[in-house]
C-alpha cells in the first residue's frame, strides 16, 4: 500500500501514456466532492475515460452527470429509482442499475482510479470493493478509517491499492510527507479553523442554537460536518483518520487551531524543519492533486494570495470548551472498537441536535455516555473485518439511540 509517497514518486513523475486516458469510477458522483471532480474532468476530458458514475437517489443529477461525462454505466444506491433512471437514460446507451449490491458490483469493475465519496458508513462496502480491486483510490470518506481503519488498511496493503486522501488536512500532510523519510517524522499537525464558537465561552456554547452552529467561518460543507466543525469532533475524527492513513501513533499527531484555514497540515521533522501544506479553500485543489498524482494538473481554482490574507494565526485548542477533541483522542488511544462507537454515537447526537432534541454541549455528553456504556457491554472489540465494523456501527447507533431516549 502506498500511503506515504516516496521521495522519488513525488518528485519524478511516473511515465504516462498520453494516448491512454485514465479509466475511472466516481462513487458519490452527485455529492459536493463528486460535482467538484466532474468540474475537473470536464476541463480536460481527453485525459479521462469515465466508466461508472454512482449516486444516491437523485435520478436527474446522475443521468445528467452520466451523459455529460460519457459514462458507460450509471448506478443509484436507491433501488426504487431503477425505473426512473432507466427512463432518464433511455436511448443513450448508458447501462443502468440500482441498489446496494449494484453499487458494490460497479465499484468492483476494473479501473485505474476511483473516487470514494459516498458519505457515511454507506460508503464502506463500495470503497472496500474498490480497494480489493487495487489501483488508485481517492478517498473522501472518513468512515473507512474511523470505523474500519485496521481492516481497511490491511485490505489496501493486501491488494496493493494506493490511497490518496481528499480531506484537506490529510491531503496537505500527504504532500508534505513527500519531503522526507517516514522514520524522520517527529509529528504531524492537522489544523482546525476553530469553527463558529472559537471565541465563545462555555456558557454561551451551552445555549448555542442550530443556526449558530451551522455558521462555519471558512468552508462551505454539509450540515453534519459543519456541526462536527463547531464541536471540533471533526478534527478528532481526522486525528483517527491520520493515524490509519499515515501509520503514526497518537503521540505523533496533534491539532492546532488556525482560523484562516490557509495552512491545512504540517509535518515536523526531527531536524527541526517543518513542511506545511497551504492552499486556498477550494475543494477542487485537493481533488486535482488526487486526480493527477503523482503529477500535478493545471486547474482554474482560486490561487492563494498570501499578501491578501496578510496574517496567519495559530492557537492551542481548548480541550475544556471543546471536549470532543479530548474524547476522540481517548478513543484513538484506547483503539479497538472505540473510534467506531464514537463515530456512530456522534452521528446520532448531531442528528438529535439538528432536530432540536438536545443542546449543543449535550452532543459530546451523549457520545461520551455511549462510549462508557459500550465499554460496560463489552462492545469495544477491534472489528475483524470491514463487515464487522459495519455491524458494530449499527449496534453503537442503537445504543446511542437508547442513551438519548433515557437522557
Ligand atoms: Mg478536513
Amino acid at each position: 500500500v502506498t500511503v506515504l509517497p516516496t521521495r522519488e514518486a513525488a518528485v519524478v513523475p511516473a511515465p504516462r501514456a498520453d494516448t491512454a486516458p485514465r479509466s475511472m469510477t466516481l462513487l458519490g458522483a452527485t455529492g459536493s466532492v463528486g460535482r467538484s471532480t466532474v468540474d475537473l474532468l470536464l476541463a480536460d476530458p481527453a485525459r479521462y475515460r469515465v466508466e461508472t458514475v454512482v449516486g444516491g437517489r437523485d435520478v436527474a443529477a446522475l443521468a445528467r452527470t452520466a451523459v455529460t461525462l460519457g459514462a458507460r454505466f450509471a448506478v443509484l444506491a436507491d433501488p426504487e429509482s431503477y425505473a426512473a433512471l432507466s427512463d432518464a437514460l433511455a436511448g443513450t446507451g448508458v447501462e443502468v442499475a440500482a441498489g446496494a449490491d449494484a453499487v458494490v458490483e460497479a465499484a468492483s469493475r476494473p479501473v485505474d482510479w476511483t473516487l470514494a465519496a459516498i458519505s457515511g458508513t454507506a460508503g464502506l462496502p463500495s470503497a472496500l470493493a474498490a480497494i480489493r480491486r487495487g489501483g488508485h483510490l481517492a478517498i473522501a470518506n472518513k468512515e473507512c478509517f474511523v470505523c474500519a481503519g485496521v481492516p481497511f488498511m490491511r485490505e489496501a496493503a493486501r491488494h496493493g491499492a494506493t490511497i490518496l486522501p481528499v480531506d484537506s488536512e490529510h491531503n496537505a500532510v500527504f504532500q508534505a510527507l513527500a519531503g522526507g523519510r517516514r522514520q524522520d517524522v517527529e509529528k504531524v499537525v492537522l489544523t482546525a479553523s476553530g469553527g463558529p464558537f472559537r471565541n465563545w465561552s462555555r456558557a454561551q456554547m451551552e445555549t448555542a442554537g442550530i443556526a449558530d452552529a451551522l455558521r462555519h467561518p471558512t468552508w462551505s460543507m454539509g450540515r453534519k460536518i459543519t456541526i462536527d466543525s463547531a464541536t471540533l469532533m471533526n478534527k478528532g475524527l481526522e486525528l483517527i483518520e491520520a493515524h490509519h492513513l499515515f501509520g503514526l501513533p497518537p503521540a505523533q499527531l496533534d491539532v492546532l487551531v488556525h482560523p484562516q484555514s490557509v495552512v491545512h497540515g504540517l509535518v515536523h521533522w526531527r531536524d527541526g524543519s517543518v513542511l506545511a501544506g497551504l492552499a486556498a479553500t477550494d475543494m477542487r485543489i485537493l481533488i486535482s492533486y488526487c486526480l493527477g498524482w503523482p503529477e500535478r494538473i493545471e486547474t482554474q481554482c482560486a490561487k492563494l494570495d498570501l499578501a491578501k490574507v496578510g496574517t496567519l494565526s495559530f492557537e492551542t485548542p481548548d480541550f475544556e470548551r471543546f471536549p470532543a477533541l479530548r474524547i476522540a483522542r481517548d478513543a484513538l488511544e484506547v483503539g479497538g472498537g472505540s473510534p467506531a462507537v464514537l463515530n456512530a454515537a456522534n452521528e446520532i447526537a448531531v442528528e438529535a441536535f439538528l432536530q432540536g432534541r438536545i443542546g449543543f454541549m449535550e452532543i459530546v455528553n451523549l457520545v461520551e455516555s455511549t462510549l462508557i456504556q459500550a465499554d460496560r457491554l463489552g462492545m469495544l472489540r477491534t472489528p475483524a473485518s470491514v463487515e464487522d465494523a459495519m455491524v458494530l456501527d449499527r449496534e453503537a447507533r442503537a445504543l446511542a439511540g437508547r442513551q438519548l431516549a433515557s437522557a
Side-chain angles (χ1 to χ4, degrees), residues 153-169:
M153 294 309 288
R154 192 173 54 225
E155 291 282 344
R158 186 176 293 161
H159 298 281
T162 300
I163 293 176
L164 304 164
V166 175
D167 204 351
S168 61
E169 297 78 3

Side-chain angles (χ1 to χ4, degrees), residues 145-147 237 240 244 328 331-332 334-344 371:
F145 308 106
V146 175
C147 300
L237 297 174
I240 299 167
H244 292 291
L332 172 59
V334 171
S338 294
V341 172
L342 169 95
N343 179 68
L371 273 165

Side-chain angles (χ1 to χ4, degrees), residues 142 166-171 190-191 219 221 225 229 234-235 238 241 264 286:
K142 282 192 174 67
V166 175
D167 204 351
S168 61
E169 297 78 3
H170 306 80
N171 189 281
L190 310 179
T191 63
W219 289 98
M221 306 173 289
I225 189 169
S229 301
N234 184 51
K235 215 47 57 179
E238 288 181 351
E241 190 181 353
H264 302 300
L286 322 166

